[in-house]
């Protein structure tokens, strides 16, 4: 058996699934293809040639390296393949994006044959994915007097790799396809339970929406060959919940266009839209593929004579349709004038926000990170030549408002901005490149991130990045065959790339499945940092963190940079006093409810929530910032008092030290470097040189929300409201209800305490509630299953040391065992306590799920349809969100408690408390960058 015959066997297996041959990344297999191509009369020659040309992955894959070397032999005449002329070999190299292909092109351009060198130089002028070693070769050759190197650098300085690309069309004809009504979670486009297949783009594409929808889209494309299909969230926002590069990839696969004829299943330029636009994190993902995201505004609130919205019987605004986008509607995107028009040419809505100069560049280049690399390449070339770069790209959008102070996020962007006018102060609305300090890659998108890194020819983490972590938490629940294949491969790649990994490819330290957000929260040791992570819940309590797609994560790892606008901020402050029986999670829920009551609309959407929560340590404050993803905020910033921040940094240092003691540090001593940075930051705070981050007194906010703690007198539940007559109101996080609404009668089928929304204090609450019930009733009996998943191993170790784990073990009917992890997902539950492995568990929906049709009460953040629990034909699954004590009590009772039952159950328990700071953090008009 050869690799080739194994590949043919795999092809036959895939054919049974309706799939094409899988793209090749194995260099040894490409070696066999080449041997068969070079053997005249070989029975497999024709097919091998086809696989070599059209089915070999580019970038830094092993396959790309072997392919590039063979193309070099053809160009030099050392190999003769009639079907691949030297000119065609150059064309194939031009589509390979970098790494081995750029190395070969440089070899040829700087070689001894003038004719070949000239051809190689022309191809190199079209390439942007050059790294330090590549640029150093060009620079050295130029200094040595190479005319070819000089010509290439002159082309780069003029950015001809961009200017010679065709402009985007003045008009884009589209035909609409309504994917769903209401907010569309990225689960609809790329279901969490199919996460294992994300790196196999064609296979994963089969999970988008439904097979019927896919067929309808194909039929629509055939019926309208001159138009692009626009995928729509009617009466909702497109792409809420997660970044899901896989979701955008799927949309592009079915509705976009091929990026290259020689790269299989990589499509670009999807068009997506929503009545309320595109969620912030998903919009960034659309940019990565050079796509278009439209805010339709085709439904508006009906207003009365007083100008206020008219409400229906349920208290929801009544909507009026301004124009129809029902499936099959033909529209025109007037790019030149930035308008959406109907078939008659009538203007329907202004779409200027979708066609900013920066976004147009992404569309023209086919991706946002091609622009990032191009700008870096142009800068290098101009500096090497000693000239000014030609003004080609849209300049950084630099907005300064004289006399206006800075919000916290504006201060962070000012400190980390790259390539801006020296001395210029940036306010919200500016659009700039920024340095990224911390990067996180999670395991269900990690393989895609690895693919992106290979595609952009990156081989090592940027030295600019302070620290990066690859998690194993999203696949922690079930160690099935898919995970056994995917996760070790991912960990090995990331470890070699220079990332701290949850699993050690060499097996030196124990495999960690700690929730990624908790780890990132610990390794972020600077409140002025920018963090990028491959998950929408990348929301730290120090610095400002942005959830991102796998492409943006890859870009941050490779370059240490990201490009983004400086968002507006909404200021959240608190007054009053928490009732002793309330948990901080109820404050989080109340923030959403009181915001909507104060402003009518969700003012958090697409903006930074600047929360003045300075007395809470990082673990507890993270509960608030984590929730902001569900508020549709772009990110959140915690304003902390000096001593609180110092204590949080000391805790972070101790946890990083534990990682070091376990053997997780790398040769570059990344983790030790973070401890050193934390020490330096503590010194700055204590000396008064640089206090904890705070806004200026004269900072301007889009809106302000004051949360009155006095109004919170009973636990609150975020309800998906699955039967709301208005579909746009279902599965949002806007329906916040007091526990008394349910009258102590709503049946609960399963309780879940876990995910990134809990901390050590929550685990201690579970233990104490069990002790209280045992003391009062003699023993604990569950009338519904209770699944408990600690977010980190450290927490479990501390609970064992403090005596809390013992009571959890006593009442558990199942306790995880890392020596024998589960290899199949649970499909049915008993009325017992399940102690699950640290990780995301039910929150992810890709491994463990509740039984179909269940009503789940969880500490999680996800109430999207089908995420934690799927529907049955008879009953919709519900995932309601509440505090830890409410969830535990509901599992014991088998129903939601009354307010009185709740108060009695939590008496004497140390809940997560919060008191607003009595003094404001020190504010200053000075700007420390």
């Amino acid at each position: 058996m050869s690799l080739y015959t194994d590949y043919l066997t795999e092809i036959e297996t895939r054919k049974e699934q309706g799939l094409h041959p899988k793209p090749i990344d194995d260099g040894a297999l490409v070696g066999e293809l080449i041997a068969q191509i070079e053997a005249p009369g070989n029975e497999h020659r024709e097919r091998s040639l086809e696989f070599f040309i059209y089915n070999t992955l580019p970038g830094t894959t092993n396959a790309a390296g072997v392919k590039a070397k063979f193309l070099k032999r053809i160009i030099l005449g050392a190999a003769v393949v009639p079907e691949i002329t030297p000119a065609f070999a150059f064309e194939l190299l031009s589509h390979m994006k970098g790494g081995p292909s750029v190395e070969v092109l440089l070899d040829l351009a700087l070689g001894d044959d003038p004719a070949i060198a000239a051809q190689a130089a022309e191809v190199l002028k079209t390439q942007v994915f050059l790294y330090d070693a590549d640029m150093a070769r060009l620079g050295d050759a130029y200094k040595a007097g190479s005319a070819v190197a000089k010509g290439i650098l002159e082309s780069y300085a003029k950015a001809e790799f961009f200017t010679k690309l065709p402009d985007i069309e003045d008009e884009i004809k589209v035909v609409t396809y309504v994917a769903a009504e209401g907010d569309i979670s990225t689960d609809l486009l790329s279901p969490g339970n199919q996460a294992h297949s994300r790196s196999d783009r064609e296979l994963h594409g089969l999970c988008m929406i439904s097979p019927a929808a896919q067929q309808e889209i194909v039929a629509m494309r055939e019926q309208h060959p001159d138009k692009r299909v626009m995928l729509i969230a009617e009466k909702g926002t497109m792409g809420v919940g997660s970044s899901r590069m896989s979701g955008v990839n799927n949309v592009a696969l079915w509705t976009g266009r091929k990026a290259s004829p020689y790269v299989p299943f990589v499509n670009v330029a999807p068009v997506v839209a929503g009545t309320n636009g595109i969620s912030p994190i998903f919009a960034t993902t659309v940019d990565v593929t050079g796509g278009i995201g439209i805010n339709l505004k085709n439904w508006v609130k009906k207003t009365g004579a007083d100008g206020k919205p008219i409400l229906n019987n349920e208290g929801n605004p009544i909507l009026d349709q301004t124009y129809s986008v029902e499936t099959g509607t033909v529209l025109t995107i007037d790019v030149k004038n930035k308008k959406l028009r109907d078939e008659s040419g009538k203007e329907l809505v202004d779409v200027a926000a979708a066609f900013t100069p920066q976004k147009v560049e992404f569309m023209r280049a086919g991706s946002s990170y091609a622009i990032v690399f191009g700008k870096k390449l142009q800068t290098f070339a101009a500096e090497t030549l000693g000239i000014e770069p030609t003004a080609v790209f849209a300049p950084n959008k630099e907005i300064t408002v004289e006399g206006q102070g800075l919000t916290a996020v504006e201060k962070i962007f000012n400190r980390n901005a790259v390539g801006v006018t020296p001395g210029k102060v940036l306010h919200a609305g500016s659009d700039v490149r920024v340095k990224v300090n911390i990067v996180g890659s999670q395991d269900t998108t990690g393989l895609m991130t690895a693919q992106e890194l290979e595609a952009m020819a990156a081989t090592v983490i940027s030295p600019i990045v302070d620290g990066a972590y690859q998690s194993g938490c999203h696949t922690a629940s079930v160690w099935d065959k898919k995970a056994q294949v995917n996760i070790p491969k991912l960990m090995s790649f990331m470890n070699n790339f220079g990332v701290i990994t949850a699993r050690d490819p060499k097996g030196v330290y124990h495999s960690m499945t700690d929730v990624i957000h908790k780890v990132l929260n610990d390794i972020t040791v600077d409140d002025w940092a920018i963090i990028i992570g491959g998950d929408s819940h990348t929301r730290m309590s120090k610095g400002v963190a942005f959830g991102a797609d796998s492409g943006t994560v890859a870009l941050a790892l490779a370059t240490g940079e990201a490009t983004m606008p400086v968002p507006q901020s909404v200021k959240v402050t608190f007054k009053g006093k928490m009732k002793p029986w309330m948990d901080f999670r109820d404050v989080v829920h109340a923030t959403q409810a009181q915001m909507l009551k104060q402003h009518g609309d969700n003012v958090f959407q697409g903006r930074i929530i600047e929360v003045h929560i300075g007395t809470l340590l990082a673990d507890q404050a993270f509960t608030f910032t984590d929730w902001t993803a569900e508020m549709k905020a772009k990110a959140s910033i915690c304003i902390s008092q000096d001593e609180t921040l110092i204590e949080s940094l000391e805790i972070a240092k101790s946890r990083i030290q534990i990682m070091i003691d376990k053997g997780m540090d790398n040769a570059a001593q990344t983790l030790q470097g973070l401890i050193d940075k934390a020490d330096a930051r503590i010194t700055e705070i204590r000396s008064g040189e640089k206090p904890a981050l705070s806004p200026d007194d004269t900072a301007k906010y889009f809106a302000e929300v004051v949360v009155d703690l006095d109004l919170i007198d009973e636990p609150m539940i975020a309800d998906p409201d699955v039967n709301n007559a208005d579909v746009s109101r279902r599965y949002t996080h806007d329906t916040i209800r007091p526990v008394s609404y349910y009258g102590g009668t709503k049946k609960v089928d399963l309780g879940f305490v876990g995910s990134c929304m809990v901390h050590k204090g929550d685990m201690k609450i579970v233990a104490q509630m069990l002790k209280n019930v045992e003391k009062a009733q003699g023993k604990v009996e569950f009338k519904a299953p209770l699944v408990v998943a600690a977010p980190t191993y450290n927490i479990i170790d501390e609970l064992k040391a403090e005596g809390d784990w013992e009571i959890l073990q006593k009442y558990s009917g199942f306790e995880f065992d890392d020596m024998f992890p589960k290899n199949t997902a649970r499909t049915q539950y008993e009325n017992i306590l399940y102690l699950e492995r640290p990780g995301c568990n039910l929150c992810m929906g890709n491994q463990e799920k509740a039984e179909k049709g269940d009503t789940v009460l969880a500490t999680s953040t996800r109430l999207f349809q089908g995420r934690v629990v799927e529907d049955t034909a008879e009953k919709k699954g519900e995932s309601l969100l509440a505090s830890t004590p409410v969830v535990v009590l509901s599992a014991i009772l088998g129903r939601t408690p009354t307010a009185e039952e709740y108060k009695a159950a939590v008496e004497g328990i140390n809940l997560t408390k919060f008191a607003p700071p009595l003094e404001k953090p020190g504010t200053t008009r000075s700007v420390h960058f």
Side-chain angles (χ1 to χ4, degrees):
M1 294 289 286
S2 68
L3 291 173
Y4 181 73
T5 54
D6 289 344
Y7 186 52
L8 293 182
T9 301
E10 181 190 64
I11 288 172
E12 291 305 310
T13 301
R14 289 175 68 86
K15 191 182 293 184
E16 293 172 4
Q17 301 172 268
L19 299 171
H20 294 85
K22 192 174 182 179
I24 298 169
D25 61 3
D26 185 353
L29 174 55
V30 176
E32 289 190 17
L33 297 180
I34 291 170
Q36 290 169 175
I37 291 168
E38 290 191 290
N42 185 287
E43 62 177 318
H44 300 295
R45 184 180 183 280
E46 185 177 348
R47 206 167 184 195
S48 295
L49 194 61
E50 182 181 338
F51 291 147
F52 178 83
I53 294 171
Y54 297 104
N55 217 47
T56 303
L57 287 175
T60 56
T61 63
N62 289 333
V66 176
K67 181 175 182 176
K69 288 177 182 176
F70 186 57
L71 292 174
K72 180 182 179 182
R73 288 178 58 212
I74 291 174
I75 290 167
L76 293 175
V80 177
V81 179
E83 296 87 347
I84 304 177
T85 63
F88 187 32
F90 272 123
E91 182 181 348
L92 291 174
L93 285 169
S94 75
H95 285 259
M96 291 180 64
K97 282 195 168 182
S101 62
V102 164
E103 182 181 355
V104 163
L105 288 168
L106 284 169
D107 289 345
L108 297 172
L110 303 177
D112 298 328
D113 188 311
I116 290 175
Q119 289 176 281
E122 288 307 304
V123 176
L124 272 171
K125 290 173 185 179
T126 68
Q127 305 296 296
V128 294
F129 293 104
L130 275 70
Y131 286 85
D132 291 346
D134 303 318
M135 290 187 277
R137 281 188 71 184
L138 270 178
D140 290 344
Y142 165 71
K143 291 168 188 173
S146 168
V148 172
K150 181 182 179 184
I152 295 169
L153 289 170
E154 286 174 342
S155 177
Y156 287 160
K158 297 174 186 175
E160 289 181 339
F161 49 76
F162 177 72
T163 61
K164 291 189 175 182
L165 294 173
D167 289 327
I168 66 171
E169 310 97 304
D170 286 342
E171 285 189 350
I172 300 171
K173 297 280 187 182
V174 297
V175 56
T176 63
Y177 185 84
V178 175
E181 288 193 22
D183 286 352
I184 290 184
S185 160
T186 44
D187 261 10
L188 184 70
L189 309 177
S190 169
N193 61 11
Q194 299 298 312
H196 63 276
S197 66
R198 287 177 183 164
S199 58
D200 185 343
R201 293 197 184 202
E202 186 191 18
L203 173 60
H204 194 68
L206 298 180
C207 72
M208 189 185 85
I209 311 178
S210 69
Q214 295 160 19
Q215 292 168 11
E216 289 167 2
I217 291 170
V218 170
M220 188 172 284
R221 293 187 68 177
E222 291 173 351
Q223 185 182 352
H224 300 274
D226 59 331
K227 302 176 183 67
R228 290 155 73 175
V229 176
M230 176 193 280
L231 206 67
I232 292 175
E234 176 76 313
K235 293 186 180 178
T237 304
M238 172 65 79
V240 299
S242 302
S243 55
R244 290 288 165 87
M245 188 74 217
S246 53
V248 172
N249 285 345
N250 281 352
V251 177
L253 187 66
W254 290 102
T255 69
R257 61 171 183 259
K258 282 181 68 70
S260 163
Y262 312 113
V263 182
F265 311 118
V266 176
N267 284 16
V268 295
V271 184
V272 293
T275 292
N276 301 321
I278 317 300
S279 81
I281 186 171
F282 199 64
T284 302
T285 317
V286 173
D287 287 343
V288 168
T289 57
I292 300 171
I294 301 289
N295 188 353
L296 294 170
K297 302 178 185 177
N298 59 316
W299 289 89
V300 297
K301 292 177 182 177
K302 191 172 184 177
T303 56
D306 58 359
K308 293 182 179 179
I310 300 173
L311 306 181
N312 61 18
N313 292 336
E314 295 181 339
N316 298 325
I318 296 174
L319 301 177
D320 272 343
Q321 188 180 54
T322 58
Y323 62 95
S324 174
V325 292
E326 67 178 346
T327 294
T329 302
V330 174
L331 302 170
T332 299
I333 302 174
D334 180 350
V335 176
K336 190 173 182 180
N337 297 296
K338 300 180 175 58
K339 307 292 182 185
L340 183 66
R341 303 184 187 278
D342 65 15
E343 280 194 281
S344 71
K346 177 186 174 184
E347 178 185 334
L348 301 175
V349 68
D350 182 275
V351 293
F355 292 95
T356 64
Q358 288 78 17
K359 287 181 181 289
V360 169
E361 287 179 345
F362 300 158
M363 295 171 200
R364 186 177 177 189
S367 77
S368 57
Y369 50 76
I371 294 296
V372 173
F373 272 85
K375 288 179 177 178
K376 292 190 74 164
L377 186 58
Q378 185 191 33
T379 300
F380 159 77
E383 288 176 352
T384 302
L385 294 170
I387 61 175
E388 286 296 315
T390 304
V392 167
F393 298 105
N396 284 326
K397 189 177 180 182
E398 300 178 0
I399 295 177
T400 299
V401 183
E402 292 298 327
Q404 181 177 304
L406 297 173
T407 64
V409 74
E410 287 169 341
K411 286 189 174 184
I412 291 177
F413 269 72
N414 274 280
R415 190 189 83 160
N416 291 286
V418 177
V420 298
T421 304
K424 191 160 188 178
V425 177
L426 305 174
H427 284 93
S430 301
D431 199 320
V432 294
R433 288 159 54 204
V434 289
K435 175 191 170 189
V436 176
N437 307 89
I438 300 291
V439 185
S441 171
Q442 53 95 331
D443 39 323
T444 50
T445 60
L447 286 170
M448 293 172 60
T449 299
Q451 280 186 336
E452 298 284 353
L453 288 167
E454 287 179 328
M456 62 177 70
T459 57
V460 66
I461 191 170
S462 168
I464 297 173
V465 176
D466 293 333
Y469 181 74
Q470 171 62 60
S471 81
C473 58
H474 288 60
T475 54
S477 303
V478 182
W479 190 237
D480 57 16
K481 291 181 179 179
K482 295 167 184 173
Q484 291 168 33
V485 170
N486 289 336
I487 302 306
K489 178 182 176 182
L490 169 63
M491 295 296 169
S492 179
F493 178 94
M494 288 297 186
N495 199 278
N496 291 334
F497 198 80
V499 176
I500 302 297
T501 53
R503 287 178 178 271
D504 181 9
K506 301 179 182 66
V508 174
Y509 57 82
H510 179 269
S511 296
M512 310 291 283
T513 55
D514 293 346
V515 174
I516 183 172
H517 318 298
K518 292 295 188 184
V519 178
L520 293 182
N521 200 38
D522 288 336
I523 69 173
T524 300
V525 292
D526 185 356
D527 48 328
W528 291 72
I530 291 179
I531 305 97
I532 296 288
D535 190 286
S536 59
H537 286 93
T538 305
R539 312 265 166 157
M540 304 302 104
S541 55
K542 302 182 290 289
V544 63
F546 299 94
D549 58 275
S550 54
T552 301
V553 171
L555 188 65
L557 286 171
T559 68
E561 292 184 8
T563 300
M564 64 182 80
V566 182
Q568 293 176 307
S569 295
V570 176
K571 184 178 182 180
V572 176
T573 56
F574 303 86
K575 68 178 182 179
K577 185 177 181 180
M578 275 186 76
K579 306 291 191 298
W581 56 85
M582 302 307 300
D583 184 83
F584 180 66
R585 178 65 181 264
D586 298 307
V587 175
V588 176
H589 287 308
T591 299
Q592 180 82 341
Q594 292 190 25
M595 176 274 294
L596 290 170
K597 190 170 183 179
Q598 290 172 29
H599 294 278
D601 288 323
N602 184 359
V603 295
F604 293 150
Q605 183 164 347
R607 300 183 179 93
I608 302 290
I609 299 178
E610 182 183 287
V611 54
H612 290 244
I613 207 163
T615 56
L616 276 186
L617 293 172
D619 280 358
Q620 292 80 1
F622 178 75
T623 302
F624 189 98
T625 58
D626 198 22
W627 176 260
T628 63
E630 311 316 330
M631 297 179 187
K632 300 180 186 176
K634 193 170 182 66
S636 180
I637 287 183
C638 284
I639 304 303
S640 184
Q641 293 183 322
D642 286 353
E643 288 306 315
T644 304
L645 178 58
I646 289 172
E647 190 174 349
S648 291
L649 289 173
E650 291 290 359
I651 293 170
K653 282 172 53 185
S654 69
R655 290 176 180 165
I656 296 170
Q657 186 61 54
I658 290 171
M659 295 172 74
I660 294 173
D661 294 343
K662 288 180 177 177
M664 295 180 73
D665 213 350
N666 55 20
Q669 292 192 300
T670 296
L671 294 176
Q672 183 57 52
L674 292 171
I675 290 180
D676 296 341
K677 290 178 190 298
D679 282 331
R681 183 69 188 106
I682 290 169
T683 300
E684 287 179 336
I685 298 168
R686 285 193 168 137
S687 68
E689 176 188 348
K690 194 172 183 181
L693 173 69
S694 63
D696 293 332
D697 285 330
T698 54
K700 185 176 180 181
Y701 297 89
F702 176 82
E704 296 193 26
V705 176
V706 180
V707 181
D708 189 346
L709 302 178
D710 289 333
L711 299 179
I712 313 169
D713 59 0
E714 61 175 298
M716 308 188 83
I717 291 176
D719 193 320
D721 206 8
V722 298
N723 296 310
N724 194 313
D726 181 353
V727 294
S728 71
R729 306 294 297 178
R730 299 176 193 168
Y731 304 104
T732 74
H733 286 72
D734 292 348
T735 303
I736 309 292
R737 291 169 170 156
V739 73
S740 59
Y741 172 89
Y742 303 95
T745 62
K746 187 172 181 66
K747 184 175 183 289
V748 172
D749 298 303
L750 183 143
F752 171 49
V753 175
S755 84
C756 49
M757 286 296 289
V758 298
H759 53 83
K760 179 184 174 183
D762 291 279
M763 304 302 292
K764 293 183 77 69
I765 289 170
V766 178
Q768 190 58 54
M769 290 189 75
L770 296 180
K771 291 176 184 177
N772 287 2
V773 173
E774 182 182 68
K775 184 177 180 181
Q777 301 179 11
K779 64 177 181 178
V780 181
E781 290 185 353
F782 292 95
K783 292 186 178 177
L786 177 63
V787 177
V788 175
T792 68
Y793 284 92
N794 289 348
I795 287 174
I796 293 176
D797 291 342
E798 291 169 17
L799 293 173
K800 288 178 178 177
E802 295 165 13
D804 294 295
W805 193 253
E806 185 178 344
I807 188 72
L808 297 177
Q809 285 179 310
K810 179 178 179 179
Y811 285 106
S812 68
F814 171 87
E815 182 178 357
F816 78 94
D817 184 348
D818 275 339
M819 296 299 293
F820 302 97
K822 285 185 303 183
N823 54 28
T824 56
R826 187 178 288 110
T827 57
Q828 293 182 311
Y829 295 81
E830 300 176 50
N831 291 342
I832 58 173
L833 170 65
Y834 294 86
L835 290 179
E836 290 286 358
R837 197 180 196 188
C840 305
N841 202 269
L842 284 161
C843 185
M844 271 300 296
N846 65 315
Q847 293 189 326
E848 295 290 86
K849 278 186 179 291
E851 293 186 46
K852 291 182 178 182
D854 273 0
T855 293
V856 180
L857 199 62
T859 60
S860 179
T861 52
R862 300 302 202 196
L863 46 65
F864 306 127
Q865 185 174 18
R867 180 66 175 247
V868 172
V869 55
E870 295 177 359
D871 300 338
T872 65
E874 298 77 29
K875 182 181 179 298
K876 291 179 179 292
E878 299 176 275
S879 177
L880 289 80
L881 311 180
S883 66
T884 293
V886 171
V887 172
V888 175
L889 184 56
S890 296
I892 292 171
L893 297 173
R895 58 173 172 80
T896 53
T898 64
E900 292 71 26
E901 286 173 326
Y902 168 82
K903 288 180 184 178
V906 299
E907 190 171 353
I909 293 179
N910 184 24
L911 302 176
T912 306
K913 298 298 183 189
F914 167 64
L918 296 176
E919 299 178 3
K920 289 195 309 182
T923 55
T924 174
R925 281 305 316 279
S926 303
V927 182
H928 305 288
F929 300 145

